[in-house]
Amino acid sequence: MFVKQLTIFVENKFGRIADILDILGKNHIDIRALSIADTSEYGLMRMIVSDPSAAKTLLREAGIIVKITDAIAVPLDHTPGGLSRIMEILRGGGISVSYLYAFVGMYGNDAVVVLKTDKPEETVTLLSQNGITPLGNV
Amino acid sequence: MIYNPQIEQMPRDELKKLQSALLIKQVERMYERVECFRNRMDLNGVKPSHIKSIDDLHLLPFSYKKDLRDYYPYGLFAEPMENIVRLHASSGTTGKQIVVGYTRNDLDNWSGTIARSLSAAGADKNTFLQNAFGYGFFTGGLGIHDGATKIGATLIPIAAGNTQRQITTMVDFGSTMITCTPSYAMYLAEAIEEMGVRDKIKLKAGIFGAEPWSEDMRHAIESKLGIKAYDIYGLSEIQGPGVAYECEYQCGMHICEDLFVAEIIDPDTGEVLPEGSTGELVFTTLAKEGFPVIRYRTRDICSLIYEPCRCGRTHIRMNKPTGRSDDMLIIRGVNVFPSQIEEVLLKVGGDITPNYQIIVDRVNNTDTFDINVEMSDAFLHDEVRSIERLEKSIVDELRSVLGIGVKVHLVNPKSITRSEGKAKRVIDNRKI
């Protein structure tokens, strides 16, 4: 079970992030989780939003390069050691993390970690075996 | 000094007779041996027997850089491979390199023209010649090398790059002449100044070529290094360096007319232009055996000087090329065509050519070479390393095609300036 994540190319240019967020805000797209990967030349904005395909269309119309990719959204206890437990499970299963970002209150009061691994299908199976069900889009 | 007075000072009527005899022979030989040439002659209804003197040159068909790709690798050679003793290669207009071949006689003629060039710049057997042109497929290094050996100079085959070692060698070995690209000469001059060894170098002259340079640059090199800076012209399709060279009066490059005939044409109509006009330079090789060409379109724009030179050489001179009749760029001495870049992007981007722009500049006397590529769906990925891998594959692929490094920048779609719907492909900010 995967969650649809937006990946947006952010050119290294003043005000670029503001432009993107402005489009989403004006169109009532709710951002549930967000991270920005910065490189020396450009940024990559990844986000989980209320309506990924509408957001994609809107951004694309504005000439922004955007892609929908699958990620895994894992709910976890918002207590010390919560994320650590998930990582231990992945380590035990020989799974490597490509990136992750964590959010509190994404779907309520719980914490959620959005992650991408080298073996997405195996990750979902392994987590399920450990009683953790990844979230879909809500 | 004039290396070969009999040839270099040959009266013009005699020179014309020599050229005519060589041309007739060359045309007959190529008609028999080079399919591409024969087909074009037949298409134009011209027979070798129609060529009675050099004045009939205009009857012959042109040849083009594209031919080297179409008949790659050996389709235009006029000698069996057993007689070819050397191959040189350079970049073509696309990703594919082009190759030329030399017989023993070709190499001998070539080194003869370099011997003339070096002598005209004052070299002799007492000269310590530091050859800082690139060795390998590039004709600069080995071309100068063989000519230096011919005049008996003490050759220092250091090849291009490693500035520190260039300067140490220059000081320790007592180099009196240097050969390299003009931009590298400027770079060396500044490094010498920084190291404070200007009074330890013994350089008297330098011969520079393989990229465009101006009179201002000549003066800068001459004053910074305290030398005389000579120009040299050549291209591998004709031979390599030594097709034309400067004498001590530095007023245009004498064309080795016993071997190469130059014409200036209108690049659009192909018409031969009157003496002194500026137009596209076209060369015919009179004595080449391995890879001869008839009326080869160099795409260089320049003019020819017919007035006798004070040096006593009778061969006409060509002015420095001022531009190109195609979109070729010369970056760090390497020929770069936008089409080569397009091809690489197409290959890497999965059949979609993204919009791109080439930006060339000169910083600290070194050409900078950047390519802005508009980001597209094909290039976007949610993992940074996947995008970086893609960028790296563009850089690597371009390096292998062009042989020089380039910086690739991913930019926003539609951010590259377009005029009348077409993106401006090349921005050349160099002030040469």
Side-chain angles (χ1 to χ4, degrees), chain A residues 32-96:
Chain A
R32 300 264 160 86
L34 166 73
S35 85
I36 297 179
D38 61 318
T39 74
S40 54
E41 295 270 334
Y42 55 86
L44 275 190
M45 197 186 248
R46 303 182 196 105
M47 55 171 86
I48 310 291
V49 298
S50 53
D51 190 342
S53 57
K56 183 182 166 184
T57 310
L58 287 162
L59 291 170
R60 187 163 275 193
E61 278 167 7
I64 291 162
I65 294 289
V66 54
K67 204 170 210 169
I68 293 182
T69 49
D70 284 335
I72 301 165
V74 186
L76 50 103
D77 295 336
H78 185 198
T79 52
L83 181 56
S84 167
R85 186 175 160 247
I86 307 279
M87 290 301 113
E88 276 308 327
I89 294 169
L90 297 184
R91 176 154 69 182
I95 290 166
S96 291

Side-chain angles (χ1 to χ4, degrees), chain B residues 118 123-131 135 144-145 147-158 169 173-179:
Chain B
L118 294 172
D124 56 25
K125 59 185 184 185
N126 297 312
T127 299
F128 289 80
L129 177 62
Q130 183 159 340
N131 184 17
Y135 275 68
I144 298 290
H145 186 103
T149 306
K150 194 160 239 174
I151 64 164
T154 305
L155 179 68
I156 305 164
I158 190 163
T169 304
F173 294 7
S175 308
T176 57
M177 187 181 273
I178 183 156
T179 46

